[in-house]
Amino acid sequence: MWNYRITSVWGIPIRINVSLLVFLPVLAWLIGSGEQITIYTGIINGFTPSPLDAADLRAGNTPWLVGSLAAVGLFVSVALHELGHSWAARRYGIGVDSITLWLLGGLANLETIPREWQKEFWIAIAGPAASVLVAAVAYGVVLVVPASLPVVTFVFGWLVVTNLVLTVFNLLPAFPMDGGRVLRALLARSQPYATATRTAARVGALFALGFAILGVLSFSPLLLLLALFVYGGATSESRLVALDTLLDGVTAADVMATDTERVTGDTTMADLATRMVEEGRTTYLVTGDDGTVAGIVSVDDFKRSRGKATSVEEAMDTNVPRITGETSLFDVYALMNRDRVNAAIVEADGDIQGVITSTEMTTALQIRREAGSVAPPRTAM
């Protein structure tokens, strides 16, 4: 939500979240403040052939120029970091849906999560490796920039320092950051994948607690936000892996409802409510004028549209995932969650075989839990 596409690389959409658009001017101001310029000038002078004068960089409107260029450069660096992850993922045949730049950095959204530990290790380490490469290129620029361009020298010197610091920070074993994923990959060499994830998530939670304490003591909202991100990410990943393990081996064909009923798009919501009560059903396929299935309407759609829609066509979900019977139930869950719908249509050669709703999903989970049917973990990510 609130993401804006700016370009694409290798066919991967690169988006900017509105939080970054709001934060960039603040970041530019922070970097361009006199104190920060003085501090970083001292560091950069340690490796630049042409020493910088902090007083010149702080004169007039130069701090704003320095801050703006450095802020944009930072998030270009973050994009390159995420492209490092994406390049490694694509090398393993894993698609990348998008890259999103936001307040706390970037996120590469992989189509699937690899479970072979080698794959996860190299995909995780590729991001920090890209950041080191960016730092090396920026250092090369610092070495050749003439002394008459102090702003350029400062900005690229700042990028050298920042990329190296972010590389070290990213490699902290705070799941779900890169270091946490590296930790999980190494643990998965000798442990079940779900166990390795739980261990990495616990370590991430401890780091989140540390970030929160530092945030309170230093009055840093960013550290508090980072703590929430790390804790939320670690918890969410742990739950997803547990769900994947629980549903291992279960396909859409195993749980789909085959006795599906249909309703036309021009059916009124009142008539739909009557049918639901009389037939004891909560989900119907919706057919168009040509008899083809145009979407799905469920009791949840009825509740959401009460008073807003008069016909099924106005209330139905049209962006319903269409899958095959061989699709794993976990992938079905991921698709429904991604598209924010509560049903998926199972097809074979264009013919509808059945429907999976949140009801079938919940039933399958209850049965697997009660039966204690957790399949042996696969070697992956």
Side-chain angles (χ1 to χ4, degrees), residues 17-216:
N17 184 267
V18 69
S19 63
L20 176 57
L21 295 176
V22 173
F23 182 64
L24 269 178
V26 177
L27 181 60
W29 176 78
L30 290 173
I31 297 171
S33 68
E35 182 181 351
Q36 292 296 312
I37 289 180
T38 300
I39 292 173
Y40 279 103
T41 296
I43 298 173
I44 295 169
N45 281 341
F47 58 82
T48 179
S50 303
L52 298 170
D53 187 340
D56 290 340
L57 292 170
R58 295 173 60 179
N61 293 323
T62 303
W64 273 108
L65 178 61
V66 167
S68 299
L69 292 176
V72 172
L74 172 62
F75 280 93
V76 170
S77 299
V78 171
L80 293 172
H81 175 103
E82 298 304 323
L83 284 171
H85 290 308
S86 302
W87 176 83
R90 286 161 63 94
R91 292 275 294 179
Y92 286 118
I94 300 170
V96 182
D97 287 332
S98 64
I99 290 174
T100 302
L101 306 179
W102 69 302
L103 177 62
L104 292 180
L107 295 170
N109 184 21
L110 306 186
E111 289 181 353
T112 59
I113 301 176
R115 281 184 168 244
E116 294 84 1
W117 75 266
Q118 300 97 326
K119 291 183 181 181
E120 175 163 33
F121 177 85
W122 290 113
I123 291 173
I125 208 71
S131 293
V132 172
L133 181 59
V134 171
V137 171
Y139 177 67
V141 173
V142 169
L143 295 180
V144 300
V145 170
S148 59
L149 298 174
V151 171
V152 176
T153 300
F154 179 91
V155 170
F156 279 93
W158 185 85
L159 289 176
V160 172
V161 176
T162 304
N163 274 280
L164 292 178
V165 170
L166 289 179
T167 297
V168 174
F169 181 77
N170 251 303
L171 287 175
L172 291 175
F175 194 81
M177 294 195 303
D178 295 336
R181 296 189 180 279
V182 169
L183 173 62
R184 177 170 66 178
L186 296 176
L187 290 173
R189 297 178 63 183
S190 56
Q191 297 180 7
Y193 185 68
T195 302
T197 300
R198 284 195 295 271
T199 302
R202 291 191 188 104
V203 174
L206 289 175
F207 271 95
L209 177 61
F211 292 147
I213 293 173
L214 287 175
V216 171

